[in-house]
């Protein structure tokens, strides 16, 4: 039996604000680090999923501005990995991202399914 993990998380920062360059080095921005901490807190008690996985992300943007769906993936997946829910985002074999309706404040729903 395959165990599926499903959870709702805060809307991630855009990849455009996730990284910063400091003294010639690319670093995760303060906003990005704060998001990782918040996701780790939200996922406390969620069992890790080991091995290769499929991930579905439903994105509910905070407003009607134009947004690229792929801009939410990196920060979100890195935060989930940092929280220990998946071993490494390189273990994702199947990744689907779906835009949902606008939701005040924005949110994302993530479903992780182990691959057979």
């Amino acid at each position: 039996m395959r165990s599926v993990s499903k959870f709702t998380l805060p809307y991630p920062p855009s990849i455009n604000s996730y990284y910063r360059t400091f003294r010639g080095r690319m670093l995760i921005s303060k906003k990005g680090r704060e998001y990782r901490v918040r996701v780790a807190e939200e996922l406390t008690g969620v069992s890790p999923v080991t091995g290769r996985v499929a991930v579905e992300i439903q994105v509910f943007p905070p407003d009607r501005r134009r947004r690229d769906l792929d801009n939410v993936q990196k920060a979100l997946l890195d935060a989930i990995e940092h929280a220990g829910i998946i071993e490494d985002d390189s273990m994702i074999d199947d990744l689907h991202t779906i835009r949902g309706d606008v939701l005040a404040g924005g949110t994302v729903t993530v479903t992780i399914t182990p691959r057979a």
Side-chain angles (χ1 to χ4, degrees):
M1 183 171 136
R2 298 185 320 168
S3 177
V4 175
S5 290
K6 185 173 183 175
F7 40 84
T8 300
L9 295 170
Y11 195 85
S14 167
I15 197 65
N16 299 327
S17 65
Y18 187 68
Y19 291 110
R20 288 289 175 249
T21 303
F22 179 73
R23 296 185 181 170
R25 293 179 48 203
M26 187 70 74
L27 304 171
I28 297 174
S29 67
K30 180 179 179 187
K31 191 176 193 179
R33 291 189 311 272
E34 289 171 348
Y35 183 74
R36 284 171 38 151
V37 167
R38 185 168 176 200
V39 167
E41 289 170 353
E42 298 253 348
L43 294 177
T44 299
V46 174
S47 297
V49 180
T50 58
R52 308 210 69 82
V53 296
V55 177
E56 181 178 292
I57 304 166
Q58 289 185 288
V59 178
F60 300 94
D63 54 47
R64 296 202 181 280
R65 286 186 290 167
R66 289 175 54 159
R67 297 171 187 275
D68 295 343
L69 283 179
D70 59 340
N71 276 348
V72 303
Q73 293 174 338
K74 183 65 177 165
L76 176 64
L77 295 174
D78 282 355
I80 292 169
E81 177 185 334
H82 183 75
I85 303 304
I86 59 175
E87 295 174 57
D88 190 285
D89 54 6
S90 69
M91 300 297 284
I92 299 171
D93 287 337
D94 188 3
L95 176 62
H96 293 270
T97 306
I98 303 162
R99 187 186 319 269
D101 294 330
V102 170
L103 186 61
T107 190
V108 292
T109 300
V110 179
T111 305
I112 302 174
T113 307
R115 301 278 292 184

